[in-house]
Every structure is written in structure tokens, then in C-alpha cells.
Amino acid sequence: MDRIKTLHTVTLDFDKCKGCITCMRRCPTEAIRVRDGKASVDFDKCIACGECVRLCPHNAKKPAYDDFDVINNYKYKIAIPSPSLYGQFNNLSDVNYVLTGLLKIGFDDVMEVGKGAELASETTRILFDRKNDDYPVISTACPAVLELILVKYHNLKDNLLNLLAPVDITAKLARDRAIEKGIPPEDIGVFFISPCPAKVFALKCGIGVQKPYVDGVLANSDVYLKLLPVINKLSESEVKPLSKMSIIGLQWASSGGETAAAYRDKYLAADGIENVINILNSLEDGTLGEVEFIELGACTGGCVGGVMNIENPFVAKARIRELRTKFPGTRNHLADEGKSLEYYLWEREPTVKDVFKLHKDRATAMERLLKINELMEELPQIDCGLCGAPTCRAFCEDKVGGVISMDQKCPRLK
Amino acid sequence: MSALHLEFDVAGDNFLSAGSATDRVKNELRKLGVSSADIRRVAISMYEGEINMVIHAGGGKAIVDIYVDKSVVKLIDHGKGIKDIELAMKPGYSTANEEIRNLGFGAGMGLPNMKKYADELIIESEVGKGTTVTMIVNFS
């Protein structure tokens, strides 16, 4: 399935948007413009990082995800919660309260994404053992980072780890388990409980897979609010021992968890989209030095920092750390699952996208490039954003590309 | 043939700022639709050249001309010049002092890397007057 061009990753509440340019100035791919006093997103350039949602001072930006009721479209509903969900709860004595709660609010089965993550870690170690070409390898677990590389850092495509994301591995295993139980495939609905809109985007498009394995993506925040009253009423005897994950899977929720579980000596973990961009630039320039494995997460703190969480990322990270004592060190092993190694790998290579070229014809692009640099000479080059473009440069590109009229004036020069 | 002409001052006292000109050039090439492999060759060769000017010549000027099919990067300094160009081209050879080496530079790979990544490398140098390095990268 090809990328759905118009898949919206964020929505705008028009009444709340004041046209303040906060989101526009901080968008890492310059995908936002403010037109007629409202922010609009070019979804071809959007990598679904969620920065605009996080930064909007008026709460006008909302991540796009599925309504909880979509689970009712399926007879057999499976919840696959991200380990970051556990970080949302205060004083959680046992994660089985959360998993039992999921069954109470309507799901028929649960499988923690931490299980898929642990299997992903073991697969990573095997891939490293077999690898003999150039380092470094870049993790593909954060879909916003993966998308950023596919739109902007084409040269780094060969460095991408060809491993399915833990959520895809978990969804595959959960579906197989239901089929083995005799549930008709058409009745099975697999729902990821997600910390971020990038996962919504990636899972609906099916990056690295032949077809999406997930039937819906719910928000950690929505599910938390549904779970809380149910969990508070659970008696100890009702709680079922459903958790099957380990510390390895749990620590994937925070930045550095994935690289630590790969057992390599030379690794680097960076989080926060601006830091990620710095690392990718250095890597492209060959100035990063010797590193074998690079874990990059768009959100500060890792998945606990996603915009669909309730809790502050640092608080959630601290809780995840505290929860470690309740899990075994390891628990899931490839040998016990009985699948081939290929089961855990990309089923197809994701394709790079040319969204930043000025024109597909190089000569026309050259003409535009010269025109843009000529127009720039007339501008104050202070990137104030008043014109509705994030930089003077973007303003010129919009003019030359025909997005706005050539007659439009810089508001500072009026 | 029309070219996008860019000029940058490379400050002589700051390793950290070397590379900022490279970022601008990379961005222009990306907009032009140059392949990322070629962008990388331009970026690495130019960065090495900038660092060389910082280490050996107290800075200089980077003049970049971007054409439809190639980039021409000219690095001009008024430093001490290169005495023996052939020797300077040898991998591992460096005249960088101890202080520079302690900072992790001066491994003697600057010029060899520039030669490796550029399609054409021309070095004109006069001892006591300065050096001009011209690097051409042809685009696929």
C-alpha cells in the first residue's frame, strides 16, 4: 500500500487557532504556513512528530487518532499497549491491573508491545552479528525519525535497520495467536494504544510492511481516562497475571532503552527532534565519529514524551524506571516463538520521497533557485514569520513555486 | 551557464563554526534535486577544506558556485602556504601542532579526503602568501 497523501496527522480547531505562528516557526520540516490567520499543514512534508501539538499555546492542534468506539467494529478485540502507557499511572503496584482493566473496558485479549520490543532487541543483536558492511545503523523504531530520513536524508536510507517496529511485531503475533485459537480472521481487530501521532500515521500507511497489521490506533490519554475508574475498583483477586514482558521491553519506552538492549559498545541515543536533526546532519557530513548503533527519538525522553500521553515525560520516565523492579530481566526469546527471522524484518523497503526539490526538472529547479536567492536580497532576512511563512527563504520559495502570488509583499517592508 | 554564487567567510579561530557554510550549501543542493550521494561528497570535501583553513591558515574565504551539473568550491586563504603539495597529499601526513592534534584534528586525512570525495582537486599555493583549493563535484 502506498503512502496516503492526504492522511492527516494533526487536525486544527479553527476557532481556537489565533494564527500566532508558534507552530509554524518550530516545525522541523517547514510544513506549516499561516494563511488568512490560521495555521495549515502541508501533509506531504509533515513527519507527524507532534511538535505543533505540543507547542500550540491555544490547544488548537490535536493529534489525529481513532475514537475508542472503533473497537466495536470487530467481534474479537485485541489491545496492544505501548510500554509508555504504564508510565501514565501514579503508584502502579502491578501492571496487571492495567492489563486486566483493558479486558474490563471491552477488549478480549491483550499483548504488550514490550514483548515485541524484546524480540526486536534479540533480532537486532542477530542482525549486528551478521553485519559486515559499514556502520552506523540507525534505529527505525521512531516513525517520525524514519519519515524524516525518507523525506530529507535520502543518503542515510542504507543505514536504516530493516527491522519491523515492536508494535508491528506485536500486532502480527497477537493476530496469529487469535487465529490459532480459531477466531475467524475477519472478526479480529488489533488496536495499538499509542503515545504519539507518528505511530498513527506509520501504522495506517504500513511502513515497512505489505499491509497494515493494526486496525486502529487509540491514544494513551483516552485509554488512561477510561481505565482509571475501572482499575480503582478492581479487587486484588480479580487481577489476572497477563503481563508477559521484561525489563528489556519496558525500557524501550524511554530514550536509550533500545540501544542498551542491543548490547553494543559504541552506541548513541538522542531524543528531541532538534537534537535528532543535529545528529543526522553530522552523520551526513561524516563528522559523527565512530558509532555502531544510533537510536533517535523525535520526542524528548523517548516515547514517554509523546503528545498523546497524559503525564509529563520526565515523571513518566521516572515511573518506568521504578517499575523495572517488578519485571524479570528477560522473558521473551525468538526460539520460543517458533517464527523465522524474516518474520521480524521489513517485508518491503520503504521508499524515499522527494518533497523538498523545487522542480523535478533540474534546469527548472536551477532557474527557481536563482530566483529565490535573488528575491532574498530584497528581504530583511530576520525570519519574523509575519508573512505567514516560517523564514524569508520559505516565503521566496512559496512565491517562486506558485504557492503564493509573486506580488505578495513582505509585511516588514510595507 | 548560470550559477548560484555564494560566498562565506570562514573564521580562523573557531572549529565549531566550521561547517555552517556547508549546511547552507547542502540545503541549496537539496532544493536543486541533486542526489544525496553527491550532496554528501560536496559536504564532506567542503567541510574538510574549511577545517584546514581554520587549522593552518587562520581562516579564509569559501566561494561556492552551483551549476545544474556540478558544484565548484573554491577555498582561498592567505596563510603560510603549503611547502610540498605532494607530501601534504599523503594520508596521515600533517603539519598540525600538538595542540590541534589534542583537539582531535590534524590526523593528516584532510587533503586525501578532499581528493577522494571531489571529482577534481586543484591546489595552488605559494609559501608565505596563501593557498587556493578548488574542488569540483560533478552531479550524477
Side-chain angles (χ1 to χ4, degrees), chain A residues 140-159:
Chain A
T140 46
C142 173
V145 170
L146 178 56
E147 191 65 11
L148 178 63
I149 291 170
L150 294 176
V151 297
K152 204 169 172 189
Y153 297 91
H154 298 177
N155 200 43
L156 302 177
K157 188 180 170 260
D158 294 338
N159 296 63

Side-chain angles (χ1 to χ4, degrees), chain A residues 226-362:
Chain A
K226 276 200 176 293
L227 279 174
L228 201 57
V230 175
I231 290 177
N232 283 336
K233 275 191 225 138
L234 278 179
S235 65
E236 214 179 318
S237 60
E238 284 178 278
V239 178
K240 296 177 182 159
L242 296 164
S243 179
K244 294 283 182 277
M245 60 184 247
S246 67
I247 291 175
I248 291 207
L250 180 74
Q251 66 188 12
W252 272 66
S254 306
S255 173
E258 181 190 359
T259 32
Y263 303 161
R264 306 300 299 182
D265 294 327
K266 293 176 181 172
Y267 69 87
L268 175 160
D271 53 302
I273 193 71
E274 284 172 16
N275 298 325
V276 166
I277 289 170
N278 283 337
I279 295 291
L280 292 175
N281 281 337
S282 301
L283 190 55
E284 202 177 41
D285 294 351
T287 58
L288 200 60
E290 246 181 272
V291 184
E292 290 178 340
F293 193 22
I294 301 177
E295 175 187 335
L296 300 170
C299 296
T300 299
C303 294
V304 288
V307 294
M308 276 148 55
N309 291 318
I310 290 259
E311 195 47 88
N312 172 299
F314 298 95
V315 174
K317 191 171 185 171
R319 287 180 184 161
I320 294 280
R321 196 170 51 230
E322 202 183 328
L323 277 172
R324 285 168 57 105
T325 55
K326 315 219 184 269
F327 289 89
T330 61
R331 204 180 218 173
N332 296 280
H333 307 281
L334 293 177
D336 301 335
E337 300 297 330
K339 311 282 186 191
S340 67
L341 192 73
E342 283 64 38
Y343 186 88
Y344 303 95
L345 304 182
W346 275 349
E347 297 163 2
R348 60 179 194 127
E349 294 253 324
T351 43
V352 297
K353 295 150 200 161
D354 264 321
V355 298
F356 290 102
K357 282 189 189 181
L358 296 169
H359 198 274
K360 59 181 191 300
D361 170 55
R362 181 87 58 86

Side-chain angles (χ1 to χ4, degrees), chain A residues 30 45 151-156 280-287 354 356-359 361-363 365-367 369-370 372-373 376 393 397, chain B residues 2-6 19 22-24 26-40 43-44 47 66-70 139-140:
Chain A
E30 294 189 348
K45 287 186 184 157
V151 297
K152 204 169 172 189
Y153 297 91
H154 298 177
N155 200 43
L156 302 177
L280 292 175
N281 281 337
S282 301
L283 190 55
E284 202 177 41
D285 294 351
T287 58
D354 264 321
F356 290 102
K357 282 189 189 181
L358 296 169
H359 198 274
D361 170 55
R362 181 87 58 86
M366 188 75 213
E367 271 170 43
L369 194 66
L370 291 170
I372 288 163
N373 279 279
M376 281 288 281
R393 171 88 194 204
E397 285 178 15
Chain B
S2 53
L4 175 64
H5 182 78
L6 304 167
T22 313
D23 279 347
R24 166 79 189 279
K26 264 163 65 178
N27 196 30
E28 300 284 3
L29 294 174
R30 199 171 271 139
K31 297 283 177 184
L32 190 58
V34 173
S35 81
S36 49
D38 289 342
I39 293 177
R40 184 158 193 261
I44 295 180
Y47 176 80
I66 299 171
Y67 298 85
V68 171
D69 57 350
K70 67 176 178 215
F139 303 147
S140 54

